Amino acid sequence: MRGYNFSSGPAALPLPVLERARDEMLEWGDERASVMEISHRGKGFVAMAEQAEQDLRELMSVPNNYRILFLQGGATAHFSQIPMNFSSLDRQADYVLTGSWSEKAAKEAKFNTKVKIIASAASENFTMIPDFSTWNSSSDAAYLHYTSNETIHGVEFHHIPNSGDVPLIADMSSNILSRPLDVSKFGMIYAGAQKNLGPSGLVVAIIRDDLLEKSNTNLPAIFRYAANSAEKSLLNTPPTFSWYLAGLVFQWVKNEGGVRVMGEHNAQKAALLYDYIDQSGFYTNPVAKNARSRMNVPFRLRDEALDAVFLKESEAIGLMALKGHRSVGGMRASIYNAMPLSGVQALIEFMQDFVVRHG
Ligand SMILES: *Cc1c(COP(=O)(O)O)cnc(C)c1O
């Protein structure tokens, strides 16, 4: 029996999406074959791909002067491709460090740009977001990069930083489509699909036209965003199944009422869980209240020696994948769009019961 899946990624997908994919697994549309077995240049696939893009554009209210790309390589490839496209070794790019993922992005960027760390929460063990007023940003930077939700540390930006005229670039892998967002504040948004959009193998990138227009041309086409954009993400064979499944997720989000409703559900789920943790006297979350993630909730038990029992007992009743990341320890409940309120309620009930028996 399927349990409640708290995996940080690849993460839970909405059940109606999986059911639909199952139902059309052997024969998709009138192709007399599965969606995985047909040409990405055929009419059927192209129509589906364009619909998925259109649905995402509508869901996120993406302005007309932005392209939406469906790419590969995971968010990790884009840690490198961003400086390759928009900077150079003699130009500076600004990075904000708020956890493991932004650290990795900055580390990988160094091969293709001068990296300047303009703010860092490393000395606070990544439990807060440095106040915007302390950011030492530069007006001539190629771009300003930050990670809008730190999947491992459970730290989320609840406001968009102001980067002035410098293009703002955000890794939104783990909170894209989780709430309303003003896309027009960004030069580029990118996200690996396997947290909130679909299965792994796909990256969605939303890039403003003027960045594409002045991006570097001395790169192999496959690494150039402008070249991928010119070919509508069909420069080579795209991850066809992931694209299709992400399209089903977009339709599901639309049916649920869009990002506004997602945002309300996510706020409600997170508030329930944090409120319980804070008043439990047994579990703790170290993150500053104004920076707590609505998507990833790390928590510790009063006694680390109970971690193994907690995991064994939770799995036995179908609460899956609660183990925290090895760098942070303890537990982590990832409660993306696809996690229903009932899953969070079941988790809290288990946590309460665990305290009664082991506290
Ligand atoms: C998961 C994740 C990544 C890495 O994604 P890959 O697809 O494995 O490259 C990068 N950034 C954030 C915020 C993530 O959550």
Side-chain angles (χ1 to χ4, degrees):
M1 202 177 66
R2 287 177 60 82
Y4 287 118
N5 179 7
F6 293 93
S7 172
S8 59
L13 286 159
L15 190 56
V17 166
L18 293 175
E19 286 169 342
R20 168 130 180 229
R22 176 197 60 196
D23 292 346
E24 50 194 38
M25 176 65 85
L26 301 186
E27 287 188 52
W28 181 73
D30 49 16
E31 303 283 340
R32 306 186 71 168
S34 82
V35 68
M36 284 176 279
E37 302 168 294
I38 58 171
S39 170
H40 57 292
R41 309 213 182 268
K43 246 197 216 154
F45 184 84
V46 169
M48 182 283 294
E50 284 174 355
Q51 187 63 51
E53 184 195 324
Q54 191 49 43
D55 286 342
L56 183 61
R57 189 174 285 279
E58 224 176 272
L59 277 170
M60 293 185 68
S61 308
V62 177
N64 287 334
N65 61 325
Y66 286 75
R67 297 309 111 214
I68 301 181
L69 305 184
F70 291 78
L71 305 168
Q72 305 186 47
T76 302
H78 299 273
F79 294 167
S80 307
Q81 273 177 248
I82 287 164
M84 275 186 210
N85 277 271
F86 303 128
S87 192
S88 56
L89 278 173
D90 54 17
R91 256 196 107 181
Q92 180 183 309
D94 288 349
Y95 279 77
V96 178
L97 304 191
T98 50
S100 300
W101 287 115
S102 46
E103 267 190 322
K104 276 200 181 138
K107 186 161 163 255
E108 294 299 304
K110 283 186 183 139
F111 296 98
N112 292 290
T113 187
K114 275 194 248 179
V115 168
K116 183 178 169 202
I117 308 300
I118 60 162
S120 171
S123 63
E124 310 292 322
N125 291 320
F126 298 127
T127 55
M128 48 79 84
I129 292 172
D131 195 274
F132 294 165
S133 65
T134 66
W135 294 14
N136 189 17
S137 52
S138 338
S139 55
D140 60 347
Y143 57 83
L144 191 166
H145 180 282
Y146 78 109
T147 305
S148 60
N149 183 68
E150 290 282 359
T151 321
I152 292 173
H153 288 86
V155 169
E156 182 172 10
F157 282 76
H158 298 291
H159 300 283
I160 300 172
N162 178 0
S163 61
D165 291 334
V166 173
L168 186 61
I169 298 186
D171 175 359
M172 293 199 181
S173 294
S174 51
N175 71 345
I176 191 168
L177 225 49
S178 69
R179 50 163 46 172
L181 179 79
D182 183 356
V183 173
S184 74
K185 296 277 195 288
F186 295 87
M188 171 173 175
I189 290 165
Y190 66 109
Q194 70 269 23
K195 283 45 181 263
N196 233 354
L197 301 182
S200 61
L202 173 72
V203 171
V204 168
I206 303 172
I207 312 179
R208 209 171 59 211
D209 282 337
D210 62 297
L211 263 77
L212 288 173
E213 279 155 21
K214 52 181 201 247
S215 62
N216 296 330
T217 53
N218 56 341
L219 291 173
I222 193 67
F223 299 134
R224 286 184 58 211
Y225 294 128
N228 280 280
S229 171
E231 298 293 331
K232 298 194 159 185
S233 308
L234 297 175
L235 187 139
N236 69 331
T237 317
T240 54
F241 187 75
S242 299
W243 194 331
Y244 151 79
L245 214 85
L248 296 186
V249 171
F250 301 157
Q251 283 176 29
W252 174 79
V253 175
K254 277 174 89 173
N255 290 340
E256 292 290 297
V259 286
R260 191 184 51 78
V261 170
M262 286 294 131
E264 287 165 9
H265 287 174
N266 289 328
Q268 189 192 7
K269 290 183 294 180
L272 265 186
L273 188 48
Y274 284 115
D275 285 350
Y276 171 65
I277 288 171
D278 288 343
Q279 58 85 44
S280 69
F282 183 85
Y283 305 99
T284 51
N285 168 281
V287 179
K289 287 201 170 136
N290 67 359
R292 282 175 164 180
S293 169
R294 292 177 181 175
M295 301 278 97
N296 312 95
V297 182
F299 60 93
R300 286 178 168 283
L301 278 54
R302 192 167 58 203
D303 179 2
E304 222 175 285
L306 288 169
D307 283 5
V309 191
F310 184 95
L311 287 169
K312 190 162 166 253
E313 291 188 357
S314 54
E315 279 185 17
I317 60 161
L319 304 175
M320 310 309 288
L322 284 163
K323 191 173 168 45
H325 190 272
R326 58 190 182 280
S327 65
V328 174
M331 307 298 150
R332 172 176 44 169
S334 294
I335 51 175
Y336 301 114
N337 285 355
M339 175 60 66
L341 179 63
S342 60
V344 174
Q345 287 165 333
L347 172 61
I348 293 172
E349 244 171 71
F350 167 76
M351 290 168 74
Q352 288 168 327
D353 183 55
F354 190 85
V355 175
V356 171
R357 288 179 295 108
H358 299 283

